[in-house]
Amino acid sequence: MGAETVRAEPDDGPGDRRREQHGWYVYDWACSVYSTTVLTVFLGPYLTEIAKAAADSDGYVHPLGIPVRAGSFFAYSVSLSVVAAILVMPLAGAAADRSGRRKPLLAVSAYVGAAATTCMFFLEGDRYLLGGLLLIVANAALAVSMVLYNSYLPVIAGPEERDTVSSRGWAFGYASGALVLVADLILFTQHDRFGVTESTAVRICLATAGLWWGAFTLVPLRRLRDRRRPAAGAGTALKGWRQLAATIRDMRRYPLTLAFLLAYLVYNDGVQTVITQASVYGSEELGLEQSTLIVAVLLVQVLAVAGALGMGRLARTHGARRTILGSLVVWTLLLAAGYFLPAGRAVWFFALAAGIGLVLGGTQALSRSLFSHLVPSGKEAEYFSAYELSDRGMSWLGPLLFGLTYQLTGSYRDAILSLVAFFALGFVLLARVPVRRAIQDAGNPVPERI
């Protein structure tokens, strides 16, 4: 069980709480560039090309002697990164709840991820195994840092303001991603003028994402406050797995919280897979240029800011649950449309990107804020560790299915269509969760609109 944690209280002055919220937003600003520049735009196509350069005459690479189609290597690496995250996240969540020292753990995970990302500058030639290793380390570190980051939400924001605070955090992240993508686009398209090759331009974009992540992490580390408790004894972090097992047992006392997590696990798996595999689909199946993909993802970033804020406003009038359900319908329609996109027609890919942008940020932000209402007081990091297992930790099924579908069929269209099942099933599961009762069962005040 987690030790008692202080939530947003009246004795936290409005100025202090606002300062913490502003610092909290900046971590989204810092780390989202990794998600955008590295995972969504550059690393998928680039690592796939490196794997193809290392492949045998049949198009297979052989990591650890296992035959893997070169086009599936990136998707499998993403899945492995999630498995690595699963091994570490429970340790971080348990240590944070027992000691109250979130900030040092956030610093370590953030800077491990930033360092691994910066080292992607050295990916060239046929170093596909180095690329896979750095991806696994960076992705796992990001997942651990997000456990700690998300667990601050119920501490720095009261029940009525969490949808707004969470949506603003996502908006900051997407604004940051858009800003850096503009610079990436200029460097990539004008690389000759800068005196570098196209490959070097890609490696610079990857490395600068790590530098950006590390630099802006300094702001939340200065502004967020730890609510200290007496030390829980040596070796606390090593009890993380026992803590996770205790958390899951404890969740059985809150079956509706568990039901929400199951629904979120399913539909978010689809969201995370779209984020990581969209550029591979565009480059390999649709034959689009890298510059086209950058513009499309830039469009997603710009519209995701408006989408996150707009869906936050919809949640205030229609409730977070209904707004999320509506977004899942849109996701299903968008992926079905994506299957029929004609190759080489950038305008249709841009239209699909615009639709994704409008629902992406809001789906994630409102899911996070809705879950924060379902967490029993004093168990924030512990429960958000389980949430992060659903957010990133359990999001290996989608990339694995995507990679397997391509490995078996050789068609990225079949792979993208397979993801529809995650959104359709997630809709059904979420629609069955009585959210107001779930909040009451967790012992939390129920907002007027939820």
Side-chain angles (χ1 to χ4, degrees), residues 213-449:
W213 184 359
F216 282 101
T217 294
L218 292 172
V219 177
L221 292 180
R222 285 181 63 86
R223 292 200 169 190
L224 291 171
R225 292 185 294 135
D226 276 338
R227 276 69 173 174
R228 300 290 180 89
R229 325 187 165 77
T236 295
L238 298 180
K239 300 175 183 176
W241 276 103
R242 279 186 288 174
Q243 179 66 66
L244 177 63
T247 300
I248 294 173
R249 287 195 301 271
D250 188 63
M251 276 189 176
R252 286 188 291 186
R253 297 168 50 203
Y254 309 99
L256 297 180
T257 299
L258 203 54
F260 172 83
L261 267 181
L262 176 61
Y264 180 68
L265 181 154
V266 173
Y267 70 74
N268 184 67
D269 210 336
V271 172
Q272 295 297 324
T273 307
V274 171
I275 291 172
T276 59
Q277 306 303 320
S279 59
V280 175
Y281 180 69
S283 63
E284 299 295 322
E285 184 67 38
L286 303 182
L288 301 176
E289 297 291 332
Q290 185 74 63
S291 57
T292 300
L293 299 177
I294 296 173
V295 173
V297 176
L298 180 59
L299 180 62
V300 169
Q301 299 303 300
V302 172
L303 290 177
V305 175
L309 297 176
M311 286 180 64
R313 289 176 182 167
L314 280 175
R316 288 200 294 270
T317 56
H318 295 87
R321 176 173 166 274
R322 286 184 180 178
T323 306
I324 295 170
L325 287 171
S327 76
L328 297 182
V329 173
V330 176
W331 274 108
T332 302
L333 295 175
L334 287 171
L335 283 183
Y339 177 82
F340 297 102
L341 286 185
R345 298 290 298 277
V347 64
W348 292 110
F349 192 72
F350 289 151
L352 184 68
I356 289 174
L358 288 173
V359 294
L360 176 59
T363 303
Q364 295 174 314
L366 292 178
S367 296
R368 177 171 63 186
S369 62
L370 182 56
F371 180 72
S372 73
H373 293 286
L374 308 180
V375 178
S377 180
K379 299 178 180 178
E380 288 83 3
E382 179 184 336
Y383 270 53
F384 266 108
S385 178
Y387 175 86
E388 198 66 23
L389 287 174
S390 299
D391 186 2
R392 298 175 195 271
M394 291 305 292
S395 295
W396 57 272
L397 290 172
L400 180 62
L401 178 61
F402 190 94
L404 282 174
T405 302
Y406 177 75
Q407 176 127 352
L408 294 174
T409 68
S411 169
Y412 284 107
R413 292 186 188 274
D414 293 338
I416 205 74
L417 190 62
S418 68
L419 303 180
V420 169
F422 290 98
F423 295 101
L425 180 57
F427 178 94
V428 172
L429 293 173
L430 180 59
R432 294 170 60 88
V433 179
V435 172
R436 285 186 173 276
R437 202 169 85 224
I439 296 173
Q440 291 171 342
D441 289 352
N444 296 322
V446 181
E448 185 178 346
R449 291 281 185 184

